[in-house]
Amino acid sequence: MIQIKDKPIGPVYYERMRFFSFFSSALWSIAFRPFFLGAAFHSLFAILVWILILFSVIPSPFLVGGIQMHAYEMVFGFSRAILVGFIFTAGQNWTKTVLIQGKELFFLFALWVLGRFCFLPSQAVSYASLTFDLYFDILVLFYILPPFFKKGQEHNRIVAVLYSIFFFLHVLTAFSFLGAISTEWSMHFVHLSVFSVLQFILLIAGRILPFFSSVAIAGSSPKKFPILEKAIQYGGLLFLGIKSGTYLIPEWNIYAGYFCISFSFLNFVRWYFWEPWKSIRVPILWILHTGYFWLSAGFLYLGLSHLGIFPVSSAYHIFTAGAIGVFVYGMITRVSLGHTGRPMRASKLTVLGYVFINLAVILRVFLPLWNRYREAYSLSAALWIGAFFFFLTQYAGILINPRADIKPASRA
């Protein structure tokens, strides 16, 4: 009779098991979990640092100006993280395939984190961080291009095209900050990057808001018109082209202004036929309609700024804090609940977050009209930080832990 002795299980075995169980945890099961969580922490911290630099409480540690760094981090740090988390999550539903999870998702998220140390005094750290930041975009395209260009995914190819444009603008922005391209172009490239993010909102809102409204609101019958949808999709891309040329050809600014006002009208018409007033009793849907309102208003006020009637900074913040900030806040609260098996109902604290982030937009945009700049910056920053603090206190556990509709015995 042969006896087989059990092999002793040592610390190495347990370390390996802990290593693999980490990557199989709920956090790395789908892209929105780490990216929504990371973006919320980043947004809170980035705004706090920016306001301390702006009021000279701390010296700026960056090689580029404080405004440039603030803009870079809110576009390529905060907005991009949310965008990527959503694209991979929605992309799995669109393509019926798992696009990224586990170790690959952890590696991609790590690149985003490491990319948040660009333009620090240490050249080695700065260049390494920027390399990670740009490589992040390359990997995103590596993961989304093949599935989005398969047969049957024709309607989703625009997502990959838009992200390619966003990546190209990211490269131009980075090179301009470094001086490889004239630094005078840096904020122009940042603004174009903001408009490329708005293209995603135009696309995503058109797909989800009418559907969500028809499902969530009794008696709602939102309407979509193919001609209007095409006019807005191609109009957004046309505006991106027009705006690209305004820096080289200042005479285009007046035409860009009139185009913006016309495009704003089209978006308000689109929004009206979605019947947004019916969502007032459903806060988790109302917040998305409010984000689209800010987008439509943003084009109106940007048009007025091109005509010299409204401050440029305030107009851009309608887009950044309003359209992007409010729409994103609504999406991360909704997706974090719906995709973790929880009822899609906004808690009282979440609704307070909705109020805070909209007040932040109003104060940041309109107080400067009365020369209340200090109040505009400090109050809007405090409200923004408060909104994302509310989000983290409620949703951090939701994003880290397994789905609520999975029994403990069957959880990975």
Side-chain angles (χ1 to χ4, degrees), residues 43-307:
S43 176
L44 192 154
F45 181 72
I47 291 296
L48 178 61
V49 170
W50 161 237
I51 211 70
L52 292 176
I53 291 172
L54 184 63
F55 290 145
S56 302
V57 177
I58 61 172
S60 174
F62 304 110
L63 294 172
V64 297
I67 292 177
Q68 284 88 342
M69 201 62 210
H70 167 60
Y72 183 91
E73 281 304 311
M74 295 311 292
V75 175
F76 300 111
F78 169 69
S79 300
R80 184 176 55 156
I82 301 292
L83 184 61
V84 168
F86 179 83
I87 288 174
F88 278 118
T89 301
Q92 292 192 176
N93 292 330
W94 298 336
T95 63
K96 308 301 180 187
T97 56
V98 176
L99 300 182
I100 188 171
Q101 64 179 189
K103 286 183 283 187
E104 291 82 5
L105 178 55
F106 170 80
F107 182 69
L108 188 68
F109 180 73
L111 286 176
W112 175 80
V113 173
L114 292 170
R116 309 279 54 82
F117 301 95
C118 301
F119 314 113
L120 289 173
S122 169
Q123 281 196 349
V125 171
S126 182
Y127 283 126
S129 181
L130 185 57
T131 302
F132 293 137
D133 215 29
L134 294 175
Y135 185 54
F136 172 91
D137 286 333
I138 294 171
L139 265 190
V140 170
L141 290 171
F142 172 80
Y143 283 115
I144 68 173
L145 283 172
F148 285 1
F149 273 83
K150 282 183 178 178
K151 187 177 180 180
Q153 292 294 318
E154 289 79 8
H155 62 299
N156 291 321
R157 290 174 185 169
I158 184 64
V159 175
V161 171
L162 288 175
Y163 198 89
S164 299
I165 294 171
F166 182 68
F167 170 49
F168 177 64
L169 291 169
H170 187 189
V171 172
L172 292 178
T173 303
F175 282 14
S176 179
F177 277 21
L178 293 173
I181 303 173
S182 173
T183 54
E184 294 179 358
W185 286 76
S186 60
M187 290 307 294
H188 181 60
F189 292 139
V190 169
H191 292 158
L192 292 177
S193 301
V194 169
F195 292 124
S196 69
V197 174
L198 294 176
Q199 304 307 309
F200 284 102
I201 296 180
L202 288 170
L203 177 68
I204 293 166
R207 291 187 179 188
I208 66 172
L209 278 182
F211 173 72
F212 288 169
S213 296
S214 64
V215 171
I217 304 172
S220 178
S221 55
K223 298 176 181 65
K224 292 178 68 172
F225 303 97
I227 294 176
L228 181 59
E229 294 301 307
K230 286 186 178 180
I232 286 175
Q233 179 179 334
Y234 293 115
L237 293 172
L238 177 59
F239 173 73
L240 194 58
I242 293 172
K243 190 63 182 173
S244 298
T246 54
Y247 196 83
L248 282 174
I249 311 171
E251 293 79 10
W252 282 18
N253 274 296
I254 189 168
Y255 302 112
Y258 288 123
F259 184 93
C260 281
I261 294 170
S262 303
F263 196 58
S264 170
F265 174 76
L266 288 180
N267 278 282
F268 271 123
V269 169
R270 186 195 203 193
W271 184 62
Y272 171 80
F273 280 105
W274 291 344
E275 302 178 340
W277 59 90
K278 293 183 178 180
S279 69
I280 193 68
R281 295 185 180 278
V282 188
I284 205 164
L285 179 58
W286 168 84
I287 189 68
L288 297 175
H289 280 293
T290 306
Y292 201 85
F293 164 81
W294 285 120
L295 183 148
S296 304
F299 279 106
L300 172 62
Y301 284 105
L302 183 65
L304 295 176
S305 75
H306 276 293
L307 301 177

Side-chain angles (χ1 to χ4, degrees), residues 305-355:
S305 75
H306 276 293
L307 301 177
I309 302 173
F310 193 77
V312 175
S313 177
S314 288
Y316 276 113
H317 278 84
I318 295 176
F319 283 130
T320 53
I324 297 174
V326 173
F327 194 86
V328 155
Y329 198 86
M331 282 302 299
I332 62 177
T333 55
R334 185 183 184 91
V335 171
S336 297
L337 293 175
H339 284 264
T340 59
R342 291 169 171 84
M344 282 189 286
R345 290 193 299 270
S347 68
K348 290 181 180 179
L349 194 57
T350 297
V351 173
L352 186 59
Y354 295 163
V355 173

